[in-house]
Amino acid sequence: VNTAMAEMKLDQIADPYEDIKVIHDYICNHVDYDWNYAKYSAYDALCTGKSVCQGYAILFYRLCSEAGYSVRIISGIGNNQAHAWNIVKVNGKYYNVDCTWDGQESDVMRDDYLLKSELDFPNHTRDEEYTTWSFLEAHPMTEESYLKLTDAALNTTNPSAVTMPFADTLPEVINNSSS
């Protein structure tokens, strides 16, 4: 764990989104899914580079915890099979993260399941213990997925030229909501 933390250089990152993305990407780049279903631990994921979802989720938990984030492992059903993923707290709200589905094969990098709201996290059904009022009160979930403005979307040389998707329909939306 110490070696992984040193490689990620999280102490040089000020943005919590970037921290979580670096941890997510580290796992996705270093772990492949164990299609033999024999490797289940964070040790397997970190040291052998193979694990099922449980190892991915435990490793994400361990690395985020080490970085100082509040994080939980969530078990449930994913695509009609037993599955595990995480929720992590960023700026006061919890977001879903599934490193397994984003990184089953380390040669393919995706972030389809990185810092997502429940609405944007399809095919994941939590076990009942993670849907109780007391759990959700202790772990308030975001209503919106975390979107990071990239330098491509944010014109740093001319801040007034920031582009927003669907910006041309914004006046129409505003006018319709006031009627």
Side-chain angles (χ1 to χ4, degrees):
V1 171
N2 290 340
T3 302
M5 294 300 289
E7 285 179 29
M8 290 186 284
K9 300 177 181 162
L10 297 177
D11 57 338
Q12 298 175 14
I13 302 171
D15 181 0
Y17 168 85
E18 293 299 329
D19 271 355
I20 301 302
K21 181 163 177 34
V22 166
I23 293 169
H24 166 274
D25 292 356
Y26 182 90
I27 294 170
C28 292
N29 282 327
H30 287 83
V31 183
D32 287 328
Y33 195 80
D34 177 23
W35 296 104
N36 293 321
Y37 307 105
K39 299 180 189 265
Y40 291 83
S41 70
Y43 175 87
D44 289 324
L46 194 57
C47 297
T48 72
K50 294 271 187 192
S51 184
V52 296
C53 59
Q54 180 176 324
Y56 280 83
I58 296 169
L59 181 57
F60 185 81
Y61 174 88
R62 182 69 177 94
L63 296 176
C64 283
S65 294
E66 187 72 23
Y69 290 95
S70 178
V71 59
R72 293 290 306 253
I73 297 170
I74 304 295
S75 60
I77 302 296
N79 284 341
N80 300 315
Q81 297 180 347
H83 190 49
W85 62 93
N86 301 91
I87 59 172
V88 62
K89 190 175 187 180
V90 178
N91 297 328
K93 295 287 186 176
Y94 283 85
Y95 294 81
N96 291 294
V97 176
D98 190 340
C99 293
T100 308
W101 286 10
D102 275 344
Q104 290 186 10
E105 303 302 328
S106 60
D107 60 335
V108 177
M109 178 53 71
R110 297 188 332 217
D111 60 5
D112 298 339
Y113 297 94
L114 174 62
L115 297 173
K116 297 296 181 175
S117 68
E118 292 294 309
L119 220 72
D120 294 333
F121 206 63
N123 302 315
H124 290 75
T125 304
R126 294 174 179 210
D127 285 341
E128 188 175 328
E129 68 186 280
Y130 304 110
T131 62
T132 65
W133 180 84
S134 60
F135 182 86
L136 295 173
E137 183 181 49
H139 304 89
M141 294 299 297
T142 183
E143 293 182 17
E144 295 182 15
S145 295
Y146 196 100
L147 299 175
K148 176 68 176 173
L149 286 176
T150 63
D151 288 336
L154 181 60
N155 184 335
T156 54
T157 57
N158 184 2
S160 64
V162 172
T163 58
M164 293 177 56
F166 312 111
D168 56 333
T169 61
L170 193 55
E172 179 183 318
V173 171
I174 293 170
N175 289 335
N176 287 339
S177 66
S178 62
S179 355

